[in-house]
Every structure is written in C-alpha cells, then in structure tokens.
Amino acid sequence: GAEKKCKKRKTMDTWQLLGESQYRKWEVYGMHWDNEDIRIPYSIRGAQNGGALAVKNENDVTIYSGAGQKLVTVNMQVVETGWTEDEELVLVFNDGQVCVLNIRGEVIIPKFMLGHDLETVEICGHALIGLTRHMTLRICADVKKKGQ
C-alpha cells in the first residue's frame, strides 16, 4: 500500500498550478535538433498549429517537421518565407517574384510577380500583401488561384 502511494505522489509532483487550474507537461516525442547545423544569420517561420518550420539563411531554405526532423533543403536565395493556412511554403525572391512549395520542397505554384522593390511581405491565409520601398501595397488575394 505505501509503495503505491509513493508512486502516485511522484506523479502528482509533475502537476503545476496556473491560476485556479492545474496542468502537467510530458514529452510526446523527442526533438531531432541535436545534429542540425542552423547557421546564423537565419530566420525561422513556423506553420500554424505546430506544423512544419522553414529555416532560411543566405543561400537556402530548409524545411523541418514540427519535431525538428529535416525534411528537405531547397537551394534558392529568397528574401522572405512564410506559410499559408494549408502549410504551403511561400518563397519571395529579391526581384519581387513569388513561388509556392509543398512540405516536400516541390514547386506547386510556379513563380509569379508580386511586385518590384518589395520591402516586406505578409501572408494571411492564402493572401499575400507586399509593401514596396515606395510605400505602395501589392496584393495577391488568393495565391492558390495563381496556380490554376
């Protein structure tokens, strides 16, 4: 009886108090980052709901699973990356062109022009909104329609 109580007590020690609620964390699966070389400078963009990650450095974009497992490296120089709501990776090039890849790094929407002199690009759902250096907005209302 006492041994059983001791095990139960140890399990209860992992619970944390958050306001009036209690929670506990446990590892669902191990992360695979240990052997990966993520070079600086880089930027990381995560898909929604704990999905894939895109790690961009100067010469390429590497796609990782949410657990850090390397899926593919795409050798393309891009200035911006981001994910659509369907976990499709949007790549923006320095000449204002855009293309879309699936999670395996395969082009699913070939390059199309969003606009020259893009300063920044935001992705919202399937829409792309680009701001140029001259403070002009360039909008692609639905990137999926570009692939049809």
Side-chain angles (χ1 to χ4, degrees):
E3 188 177 334
K4 195 173 191 178
K5 284 183 185 176
C6 187
K7 284 184 181 179
K8 204 176 230 183
R9 173 85 174 146
K10 188 174 183 182
T11 303
M12 292 304 289
D13 286 342
T14 62
W15 288 87
Q16 303 290 320
L17 189 60
L18 178 65
E20 295 182 19
S21 301
Q22 290 190 345
Y23 73 96
R24 71 176 174 172
K25 300 185 290 185
W26 62 86
E27 187 174 283
V28 177
Y29 49 82
M31 298 298 285
H32 297 274
W33 296 110
D34 294 342
N35 299 324
E36 294 302 323
D37 176 29
I38 298 178
R39 295 161 279 168
I40 296 177
Y42 63 89
S43 70
I44 300 175
R45 298 283 187 256
Q48 61 184 355
N49 302 320
L53 301 169
V55 177
K56 177 185 80 69
N57 64 34
E58 290 178 11
N59 299 314
D60 56 39
V61 177
T62 303
I63 301 173
Y64 294 90
S65 71
Q69 181 180 9
K70 184 189 242 179
L71 301 176
V72 67
T73 297
V74 180
N75 294 315
M76 295 182 184
Q77 284 187 308
V78 299
V79 294
E80 191 63 66
T81 62
W83 296 94
T84 68
E85 62 188 21
D86 293 336
E87 287 196 30
E88 296 166 338
L89 181 61
V90 177
L91 303 179
V92 181
F93 298 87
N94 61 359
D95 64 357
Q97 292 191 72
V98 175
C99 78
V100 181
L101 310 178
N102 64 21
I103 199 167
R104 294 178 302 279
E106 301 162 341
V107 175
I108 56 174
I109 299 175
K111 284 185 179 180
F112 64 92
M113 182 60 73
L114 183 60
H116 296 288
D117 298 328
L118 291 175
E119 191 68 31
T120 185
V121 176
E122 292 295 322
I123 301 164
C124 181
H126 291 105
L128 304 178
I129 303 153
L131 179 65
T132 68
R133 290 182 184 92
H134 304 352
M135 303 303 287
T136 304
L137 290 177
R138 302 285 184 211
I139 298 172
C140 172
D142 188 351
V143 72
K144 287 188 159 291
K145 289 184 179 176
K146 293 289 186 179
Q148 295 175 351

